[in-house]
Amino acid sequence: MELLRRYPGNPVVQASDVPYECNTIFNAGVTTWKDETLLLLRVEDRIGYSHLTVATSKDGLTDWNIRDEPLMTPGLPEFPYEAFGVEDARITYVQETGDYLIAYTAYSFLGAGVALARTRDWQTVERLGLIFPPNNKDACVFPRKINGMWVMLHRPVSGDAEHMWLAYSPDLHHWGHHRYVLLEASGPRWDAARIGAGTVPVETEEGWLIFYHGVKYLAGSPIYRAGAALLDRERPDRVIARLPYWVLSPRESYEVNGDAPNVVFPTGTVQNGDELYVYYGAADSRVCLATVSIAEILEALMRDGRPPLYC
Ligand code: BMA
């Protein structure tokens, strides 16, 4: 039995819900705003470029109000790093300042890099610029400073190696003190081809809970699955636990069929007591939801995911 349980009403949002023409929507940033769930949808147009559009819902499940204008489109000409699109936002609400930080993929002729932006009102966005040059993606900022520093997960590409790293910053602009966090696994494992950060870390008594994606190639085709890990609260580059098995794998037709078959790609959560809503992109074609009990996943992590950590 997988630890993430699919919402029976999946998909929660799809291209036909968008009030303007598009190809697909998927990999949405997730947060809560004015007591509503807010998704920052990756919308791919019918040319192939992606932009980011806001959708809101009172219960996070139904009656989505999708704006008819994107919030972010490629910032040309000032920001050539987005020439090919803005993709895969992860949203971090910072209680201390009331800011929402948006880490996203800035895609261009230079490759895919990590960019950061911030908003307070979801109407205007301030770009902080390119944080990590290509090739790097799947970044998200932790929801609070740790020992006085901002912390960000990211996934640089170095040859065949696609591991998860962590960087620190005093001001959100200058990032350093680099540490590796999770390594892609090896051999036949489900997360051996590459891994990348998925959801913004959720702080629990036991540590920072993250869901990430892992990839395996079978007969040349990738399968994207979701895994879970727990990072130390004060030293988040230290992995306390990592489940050896996946917590969600493509199975339903909405995950198996689409522009990229066999993809579940977790991108954000909303917490309600012990229950976590985990939103994920399915087959690069729609946004879906699975739920998990925090107590249950922490128990599984402590039971099955303790060191010695495999890779
Ligand atoms: C990754 C990213 C995601 C995408 C996934 C599956 O590399 O580009 O945007 O959902 O591949 O195609």
Side-chain angles (χ1 to χ4, degrees):
M1 179 81 153
E2 289 175 335
L3 283 160
L4 290 195
R5 300 203 180 95
R6 289 172 180 82
Y7 167 59
N10 273 343
V12 282
V13 206
Q14 51 195 328
S16 53
D17 301 325
V18 179
Y20 56 89
E21 271 203 16
C22 64
N23 176 41
T24 52
I25 59 165
F26 54 113
N27 299 358
V30 185
T31 192
T32 305
W33 184 58
K34 291 191 173 167
D35 292 331
E36 293 198 320
T37 298
L38 181 148
L39 298 182
L40 189 55
L41 305 171
R42 171 175 172 187
V43 181
E44 191 185 282
D45 65 22
R46 291 192 176 168
I47 306 171
Y49 297 112
S50 292
H51 58 262
L52 303 174
T53 293
V54 170
T56 51
S57 156
K58 288 206 183 339
D59 61 5
L61 303 169
T62 54
D63 292 326
W64 292 93
N65 176 12
I66 306 180
R67 292 196 191 155
D68 54 14
E69 291 278 338
L71 180 74
M72 291 181 76
T73 54
L76 296 171
E78 310 82 45
F79 209 53
Y81 308 101
E82 298 175 356
F84 291 173
V86 287
E87 306 177 346
D88 297 0
R90 270 63 165 216
I91 303 168
T92 303
Y93 175 61
V94 182
Q95 204 158 16
E96 198 185 323
T97 58
D99 285 331
Y100 292 86
L101 301 174
I102 306 167
Y104 61 100
T105 300
Y107 183 32
S108 72
F109 43 88
L110 299 158
V114 171
L116 200 57
R118 98 182 125 199
T119 185
R120 279 187 176 202
D121 58 8
W122 291 102
Q123 297 294 339
T124 52
V125 170
E126 178 200 358
R127 278 177 168 79
L128 303 187
L130 195 71
I131 301 298
F132 298 115
N135 280 321
N136 199 326
K137 50 164 74 170
D138 299 322
C140 59
V141 182
F142 283 65
R144 67 166 172 86
K145 287 183 183 169
I146 300 175
N147 300 317
M149 301 287 265
W150 297 103
V151 188
M152 189 191 278
L153 291 171
H154 64 108
R155 206 285 310 278
V157 177
S158 162
D160 273 350
E162 290 167 281
H163 308 300
M164 273 169 61
W165 288 70
L166 183 148
Y168 291 87
S169 172
D171 56 8
L172 294 174
H173 290 278
H174 303 89
W175 293 86
H177 200 68
H178 298 283
R179 295 283 183 271
Y180 74 84
V181 187
L182 286 191
L183 299 181
E184 64 182 22
S186 58
R189 296 175 189 268
W190 67 271
D191 49 353
R194 86 174 62 95
I195 59 170
T199 57
V200 172
V202 174
E203 190 161 20
T204 73
E205 291 280 307
E206 311 291 343
W208 296 99
L209 172 64
I210 58 165
F211 294 95
Y212 63 96
H213 64 266
V215 182
K216 172 170 178 157
Y217 278 90
L218 277 177
S221 306
I223 304 183
Y224 279 72
R225 299 183 171 106
L230 197 61
L231 312 178
D232 188 276
R233 276 171 94 173
E234 297 307 312
R235 280 285 310 271
D237 57 306
R238 290 195 180 142
V239 180
I240 297 174
R242 172 183 182 176
L243 285 178
Y245 45 81
W246 63 75
V247 296
L248 191 72
S249 177
R251 184 189 72 198
E252 299 299 324
S253 62
Y254 50 79
E255 299 161 344
V256 168
N257 299 305
D259 275 10
N262 296 315
V263 174
V264 298
F265 197 86
T267 49
T269 63
V270 172
Q271 187 177 350
N272 186 2
D274 178 57
E275 193 175 45
L276 210 54
Y277 278 18
V278 181
Y279 290 86
Y280 63 97
D284 284 11
S285 296
R286 40 195 86 84
V287 176
C288 292
L289 172 71
T291 58
V292 67
S293 145
I294 295 179
E296 207 176 304
I297 197 140
L298 290 179
E299 197 187 306
L301 278 157
M302 291 312 194
R303 186 184 60 232
D304 302 330
R306 303 303 297 273
L309 297 170
Y310 73 95
C311 55

